[in-house]
Amino acid sequence: MGSTTVNSAKADAVLFGAPHGTPYRDIDNEVYAGAPNAFRAAMEEDSAWPDHWDFDLGGPLLGDGGFTVADAGDLKTTSQDGSGNRALIETATADIMTTGAVPIMLGGDDSTPIPFIKALAPAGPLTIIQVDAHIDWRDERRGEPLGFSSTMRRASEMAHVERIIQVGIRGLGSARREEVEIAHNWGAEIVTARAVHDQGVGAALQHLPDGANCMITFDCDALDAGIMPAVMAPTPGGLTYTQSIDLIAGVAAKARLVAFDMIEFVPERDSNGVAAFTAARIVANVIGHLARR
């Protein structure tokens, strides 16, 4: 996708990698470290054909309006420095926001969206669409309130977050009765994967107001394990690729997409590179819709 600095005034969207977030005691987050570069490698071939017709988008990937994408590289995160990692992510995101570009974060574990969302305060009031198998409303886990099981709980406490729509939830869903009740009482809309299979992506989009400022946080385990084995918790019954890009298209048509992240990808579980390409194509769809707005 090319390379530039975060503060480039010419970029309409800026990608950056956040390999590490906030670790839990005795749970290794190093397995995600190579995810940003796995996504970049998967996008490289497509990026060489900017004038070719993309049938997901109905035209060339970047459209015809001179839309530009910059790659700011990876943040210098380290696996065990939660506070330092959060500061790096928040600062990088805030810097991108000041240029008017759309930040696109390539993670990293599912704690990385906490500082990412925090830095989106200037874009509030904000609607979050979390695409995930898990609701992530734990108050703390192993004594850590900022880890990957608490992402939506922490987001719900941010003054600029007014709405949370959670899509693709299934199986055990990383929740006990307590977390489900807290999420519902806050006002979160929980749209199960089964509801999307039955009703289409409209099951989620019906909760999105026209013109809302919206960010999407996309956990790779939202996808069905048959097409996305490269996660720590593969779960059957997930979203298809087509449902995922239809959801993105629906958000882009109905709301203002102000940020996106792709997280929870484990490169060592992607034996042939197909899972990385699937994830990268979802990112490409986001970029394509940003280019068309």
Side-chain angles (χ1 to χ4, degrees), residues 15-23 27-40 71-82 84-86 88-90 92-93 104-113 115-116 148 232 261-267:
L15 291 162
F16 69 94
H20 310 95
T22 302
I27 297 180
D28 181 20
N29 66 0
E30 189 62 29
V31 295
Y32 306 104
N37 281 335
F39 294 150
R40 289 185 180 98
D71 185 348
D74 286 355
L75 302 178
K76 302 299 183 183
T77 61
T78 57
S79 62
Q80 296 302 307
D81 185 11
N85 297 340
R86 292 191 300 273
L88 287 170
I89 293 167
E90 185 175 348
T93 307
I104 299 175
M105 182 177 71
L106 306 177
D109 64 72
D110 196 8
S111 70
T112 57
F116 186 64
F148 59 71
M232 291 305 293
D261 70 59
M262 173 73 75
I263 54 173
E264 287 280 337
F265 183 82
V266 182

Side-chain angles (χ1 to χ4, degrees), residues 254-274:
K254 194 173 186 183
R256 178 174 177 261
L257 185 57
V258 300
F260 177 85
D261 70 59
M262 173 73 75
I263 54 173
E264 287 280 337
F265 183 82
V266 182
E268 67 184 30
R269 296 192 173 190
D270 186 15
S271 60
N272 58 10
V274 173

Side-chain angles (χ1 to χ4, degrees), residues 182-239:
I182 290 170
H184 280 310
N185 289 338
W186 185 87
E189 300 288 353
I190 297 176
V191 181
T192 64
R194 180 175 289 178
V196 175
H197 294 320
D198 182 50
Q199 304 167 36
V201 296
L205 294 173
Q206 66 179 329
H207 302 296
L208 177 64
D210 291 346
N213 293 325
C214 181
M215 71 85 63
I216 299 174
T217 176
F218 198 109
D219 187 316
C220 287
D221 66 30
L223 296 167
D224 187 73
I227 63 170
M228 183 50 66
V231 294
M232 291 305 293
T235 308
L239 303 185

Side-chain angles (χ1 to χ4, degrees), residues 151-211:
T151 311
M152 289 301 106
R153 184 70 169 268
R154 298 288 83 84
S156 74
E157 298 164 349
M158 298 178 191
H160 62 289
V161 175
E162 69 170 355
R163 187 176 294 102
I164 297 175
I165 304 167
Q166 303 183 257
V167 189
I169 310 302
R170 63 193 188 280
L172 293 175
S174 184
R176 299 161 298 191
R177 182 185 299 273
E178 174 188 356
E179 284 86 40
V180 176
E181 291 177 348
I182 290 170
H184 280 310
N185 289 338
W186 185 87
E189 300 288 353
I190 297 176
V191 181
T192 64
R194 180 175 289 178
V196 175
H197 294 320
D198 182 50
Q199 304 167 36
V201 296
L205 294 173
Q206 66 179 329
H207 302 296
L208 177 64
D210 291 346

Side-chain angles (χ1 to χ4, degrees), residues 272-285:
N272 58 10
V274 173
F277 185 70
T278 300
R281 281 298 305 163
I282 291 172
V283 177
N285 271 263

